[in-house]
Amino acid sequence: MLVVMRAHASEEQVRAVCEKIESLGYRAHPIPGESRTAIGITGNRGAVEPGSLEEMTGVQEVIYVTKPYKLVSRDVKEDDSVIRFPGTDASFGATDLGIIAGPCGIETREQAFTVAERVAKAGARFFRGGAYKPRTSPYAFQGLGLEALKIMAEIRERFGLRIVTEAIDNESLDLVEEYADVIQIGARNMQNFSLLKKAGRTRKPVLLKRGMSATLEEFLMAAEYIMSEGNYQVILCERGVRTFADHTRNTLDLSIVPAVQRLSHLPILVDPSHGTGKRNKVLPLSRAAVAVGADGLIVEVHHDPDHALSDGMQSIYPDQFDELVAEIRLIAAVVHRNVQKPLPQPKLAQAAG
Ligand code: PEP
Ligand code: MN
């Protein structure tokens, strides 16, 4: 159920409707859009009696949402959601593409700083690096944990990059929320509903990766879990799905980008690194992702991938990342998007010295 307010409804009118919804025992989610605010109602088991809401001042209409998800839907918000980072020009979902780059895992301070300097110089606004690694084998590198989070906090200070890193459970989520700018929920946890709800109770943007066999609807429902707890800053990410194909690690499903954009106002990124598992496919599929209309990319970059502790095979060299940015800049213009110039880096000389 959705209450659509009139275009010029006042804040008080929106508040009064929210209070009414809450007094009926439901949860109200006011989502402001460009032309009007819509208020999603959750917590109801059946249909809400619309009568009293329809009569309230400022209300244009009360509509039933037949889809199993509400808050992620364009029904609640027609225009695209843009996620901004106060005090910076970094964003997801705006004309500027949101570009995240960095190693799969933080291995040492030196490794992290070497890669961060290069991706900052190339123009990325976000640095990625795993502190907690969900590995297929329990004997593989599991991440440096808190030490890695502290290294990334230093990287934010030094290079002005916003930090994106994965939380794998309740405990790591608390720490990631404290240290990072964006909480990543990985493919393996896309349907970890208690983790999704906990991420929904934080006030940091959440990057939600598609599960490796998730349908579009399951993917959107996972995002709905986060939003239903009151955190509306969700960024979706296609990272490849399992198929019979064995020429790549996963099959990057670029068709989900326009499919998501048709149904949802949330930004969607593409991860060509996990999506292919092969270094030589990362550039071609990054170009394709921008061409198909993705709102940004998340790319694994390593200065010495042969010795990387995780995902070396799919990590590109910093020089290749420079090339990637140059290429997608040209393609972005065709689809009316933009790739930002590198941030001025007064601190880079200092970093190198
Ligand atoms: C990652 O980004 O390093 C990662 C583990 O991704 P995914 O959850 O998509 O496998
Ligand atoms: Mn990885």
Side-chain angles (χ1 to χ4, degrees):
M1 187 100 149
L2 194 62
V3 180
V4 179
M5 302 298 292
R6 291 188 188 284
H8 301 293
S10 67
E11 271 178 38
E12 292 86 83
Q13 288 167 344
V14 172
R15 198 174 323 118
V17 173
C18 290
E19 278 166 11
K20 175 78 184 174
I21 292 167
E22 307 260 335
S23 77
L24 294 169
Y26 310 126
R27 183 152 184 186
H29 301 265
I31 315 259
E34 252 164 36
S35 55
R36 47 135 174 102
T37 292
I39 306 167
I41 303 176
T42 61
N44 51 310
R45 295 200 187 282
V48 176
E49 177 48 56
S52 52
L53 292 170
E54 236 157 19
E55 298 312 316
M56 293 184 76
T57 37
V59 172
Q60 184 173 314
E61 58 174 335
V62 176
I63 52 180
Y64 290 99
V65 180
T66 48
K67 299 186 191 83
Y69 45 85
K70 309 176 191 181
L71 306 174
V72 303
S73 165
R74 286 219 187 256
D75 293 341
V76 83
K77 188 168 181 287
E78 275 177 352
D79 43 296
D80 297 339
S81 280
V82 179
I83 290 155
R84 298 191 190 279
F85 295 80
T88 78
D89 67 353
S91 61
F92 293 107
T95 303
D96 293 329
L97 297 179
I99 301 184
I100 310 171
C104 179
I106 300 296
E107 298 164 4
T108 63
R109 190 173 182 280
E110 193 200 357
Q111 169 247 19
F113 270 68
T114 304
V115 179
E117 177 170 0
R118 291 295 306 267
V119 303
K121 270 188 176 160
R125 288 295 187 276
F126 298 90
F127 181 76
R128 62 151 293 150
Y132 302 92
K133 295 305 306 171
R135 303 302 300 279
T136 306
S137 163
Y139 308 119
F141 176 60
Q142 306 283 313
L144 298 182
L146 181 59
E147 187 186 340
L149 295 176
K150 290 184 174 164
I151 293 171
M152 288 189 280
E154 277 188 63
I155 284 175
R156 174 177 41 229
E157 288 310 307
R158 177 73 68 87
F159 302 107
L161 299 169
R162 300 299 102 184
I163 304 300
V164 182
T165 192
E166 180 169 353
I168 55 170
D169 51 25
N170 283 348
E171 193 190 345
S172 55
L173 182 63
D174 288 336
L175 287 166
V176 167
E177 183 188 7
E178 187 181 335
Y179 283 88
D181 301 291
V182 177
I183 302 165
Q184 179 174 323
I185 303 284
R188 289 158 195 79
N189 272 318
M190 191 207 81
Q191 286 190 314
N192 181 340
F193 300 119
S194 65
L195 190 65
L196 296 175
K197 286 200 258 183
K198 192 167 155 79
R201 292 192 289 271
T202 70
R203 286 298 165 263
K204 290 264 167 90
V206 178
L207 174 68
L208 177 67
K209 298 187 90 176
R210 180 183 182 189
M212 47 190 98
S213 60
T215 63
L216 170 58
E217 190 166 290
E218 286 164 345
F219 192 18
L220 293 177
M221 295 288 257
E224 185 82 16
Y225 261 95
I226 300 169
M227 296 183 78
S228 69
E229 293 293 327
N231 186 348
Y232 308 126
Q233 303 199 86
V234 179
I235 306 134
L236 302 170
C237 179
E238 159 60 24
R239 49 78 71 203
V241 289
R242 278 274 165 91
T243 68
F244 54 83
D246 57 6
H247 63 285
T248 51
R249 178 179 174 184
N250 293 297
T251 297
L252 189 66
D253 177 15
L254 290 179
S255 70
I256 204 164
V257 173
V260 161
Q261 288 168 338
R262 199 184 159 98
L263 297 174
S264 176
H265 53 88
L266 296 175
I268 176 160
L269 310 185
V270 168
D271 174 347
S273 307
H274 295 86
T276 65
K278 304 241 162 124
R279 185 177 309 139
N280 64 22
K281 304 212 167 27
V282 172
L283 268 72
L285 284 155
S286 297
R287 297 193 297 262
V290 174
V292 85
D295 295 296
L297 297 173
I298 173 165
V299 182
E300 288 186 341
V301 180
H302 200 293
H303 66 297
D304 185 12
D306 288 348
H307 295 104
L309 297 181
S310 59
D311 288 347
M313 301 262 284
Q314 67 195 33
S315 300
I316 59 172
Y317 288 93
D319 284 351
Q320 291 179 297
F321 185 66
D322 290 343
E323 202 180 321
L324 183 157
V325 174
E327 291 179 357
I328 63 166
R329 178 165 282 128
L330 299 174
I331 297 169
V334 177
V335 290
H336 312 292
R337 306 299 285 263
N338 178 56
V339 172
Q340 292 165 296
K341 294 264 180 300
L343 282 173
Q345 290 283 343
K347 293 176 185 166
L348 278 183
Q350 202 181 312

